[in-house]
Amino acid sequence: MTTFANVGSLGTKPGKRDAVVEILTQLNPDLIEAGCLLYEVGVRDDEPDTVFVVELWESEEAHKESLQLQSVKDSINDAIPLLSGQFDGEHFTVLGSPLRNMPR
Amino acid sequence: MTTFANVGSLGTKPGKRDAVVEILTQLNPDLIEAGCLLYEVGVRDDEPDTVFVVELWESEEAHKESLQLQSVKDSINDAIPLLSGQFDGEHFTVLGSPLRNMPR
């Protein structure tokens, strides 16, 4: 089973980083139901205006569809006024892991 | 408990991407013992010479120390001849997740 990895960073307005972390880490069971396997939110000491995210989803479609969830729309709307507009990111198809046997 | 996220991409020599994926996805129980919580390896259809990795570790130190493991050194040595030398990456401290309650 391949999964979909979505990795990115969000620029925040000065002083708003922690508020964005707060929004993105609000417990949201909808995400699990939508097929989110992992969603980690973090920061770097040397980047005071950036929030980093790593997400794993059952599929690219699951990720896309999750953006239609009202709870997700709400958190995006909450975050947007705090963001600088600078985004960076990458997504890819996961093929395997050295932590588990993958079917060949 | 904060964890350490390490995200990156490795450029491969033309035609060597899948061989690098094969090396990086070889089952390696040492990693779990070393504090590796997640290690996903993947690709993008539109980037034939790049392998993407997402790693979560118990700590930055755990990640650093893992590089001294013989099994990790061996897989790095196996992969190096297949790599183009182009690396990109980011690491950050994970603060929380919308998939779980984080102690405040």
Side-chain angles (χ1 to χ4, degrees), chain B:
Chain B
M1 181 187 88
T2 64
T3 53
F4 175 73
N6 191 45
V7 174
S9 61
L10 303 99
T12 72
K13 290 175 180 168
K16 300 299 183 189
R17 181 186 73 175
D18 296 347
V20 173
V21 167
E22 190 74 24
I23 291 168
L24 294 182
T25 54
Q26 286 295 314
L27 188 64
N28 184 356
D30 293 349
L31 292 174
I32 298 174
E33 271 169 49
C36 186
L37 304 170
L38 179 97
Y39 195 126
E40 305 293 317
V41 180
V43 298
R44 285 174 58 104
D45 292 342
D46 58 1
E47 296 210 27
D49 299 329
T50 306
V51 176
F52 298 88
V53 293
V54 166
E55 304 168 33
L56 281 180
W57 292 82
E58 286 173 359
S59 65
E60 188 164 3
E61 291 69 33
H63 173 250
K64 239 176 235 153
E65 283 161 21
S66 74
L67 300 175
Q68 302 312 317
L69 291 168
Q70 191 55 52
S71 56
V72 173
K73 284 182 182 175
D74 291 346
S75 61
I76 290 172
N77 289 333
D78 291 346
I80 283 179
L82 310 177
L83 299 179
S84 65
Q86 199 188 347
F87 296 95
D88 194 11
E90 191 67 76
H91 54 79
F92 60 89
T93 301
V94 171
L95 295 181
S97 168
L99 305 189
R100 61 180 183 273
N101 273 327
M102 285 301 290
R104 283 288 152 220

Side-chain angles (χ1 to χ4, degrees), chain A residues 4-8 53-57 63 89-92, chain B residues 54:
Chain A
F4 175 74
N6 191 45
V7 174
V53 293
V54 166
E55 304 167 31
L56 281 180
W57 292 82
H63 172 250
E90 191 67 76
H91 54 79
F92 60 89
Chain B
V54 166

